[in-house]
Amino acid sequence: MTSNELLTVTSKIGSMLISYGAEIYRAEESVNRIAAAYGFEKIEVFAIPACLIITIDGENGLPITRQVRITKRETNLDRVDKINNLSRFICSEKPSFSTITAHINKIQNRKTYGFPTILASYIIVGATFALFFGGGWRESVAAGAIAAVIKPIEMAVAKVKPSVFFSGLICSMSAAAIAVLIAEAGLTDGFDKVIIGSLMTLVPGVTLTNCMRDFIAGDFIAGLYTMIEALLTAVGMAVGAASAIALLTNIFGG
């Protein structure tokens, strides 16, 4: 495998691991092991959630670098597992560049959960957490219904690629406004449990977990990045919900 082919393979695998929610150290270690398997001992890898940089020595002895900007991240542990298996296969079998590329394309084209399944999970999460935080069955139904509305809003907002702050703000503002209107209509005893339950679908729990995971592994820059991202999401949710509640309760005199 040539140095350019190796850079193409490792940058693709490393960026996929990061974009699908793997640990930073896992992405860097995978790149290092794959390079070592093909005889490239001198390699430098630097990764953060937004960027991957790989430098190796080319055939002429001069270093060559590949940088990948990672603009979209999601949690897909199925694909992380498949990429891990592919990395082990590469290290043990040392397949050709075309074989690796075919495996990568196959992983990228793996089916994910469809919209109905994701929507059902949002409804279950919203309804369950409303009960968990002390709401009744009416609050549970309302929270589930609002959570079902949050998903399409979240998808629509994602098309304009906003920051995590504005995404959380718009979704939480919409959810809180609907919850207040439902409460004012007398369909629930209050809106607090409904808002809390429905907004649990937006809480950046995975991001916070990744943050602590990166800190423990010693990847402090990556940990700070994900921590700030989680904090901005939480602040956006708080500002959005508080704004909707303040505005509508003043209008209705609540």
Side-chain angles (χ1 to χ4, degrees), residues 3-4 7 11 44 52-58 62-68:
S3 56
N4 279 322
L7 275 180
S11 62
E44 296 292 337
L52 173 67
I53 303 174
I54 304 172
T55 300
I56 63 173
D57 286 340
L62 297 177
I64 54 176
T65 299
R66 181 73 57 86
Q67 177 175 320
V68 181

Side-chain angles (χ1 to χ4, degrees), residues 166-211:
F166 286 106
S167 178
L169 184 146
I170 294 171
C171 291
S172 62
M173 183 180 292
S174 303
I178 297 171
V180 173
L181 292 175
I182 291 175
E184 290 295 335
L187 300 177
T188 59
D189 294 331
F191 53 76
D192 53 342
K193 306 298 189 302
V194 177
I195 293 175
I196 293 172
S198 61
L199 290 186
M200 288 303 293
T201 56
L202 301 175
V203 172
V206 175
T207 306
L208 285 172
T209 302
N210 290 345
C211 161

Side-chain angles (χ1 to χ4, degrees), residues 9 12-13 16 86 100-108:
V9 167
K12 190 64 176 179
I13 289 177
M16 286 173 65
L86 174 60
I100 299 173
T101 302
H103 280 282
I104 291 175
N105 292 334
K106 185 178 179 180
I107 293 173
Q108 287 181 314

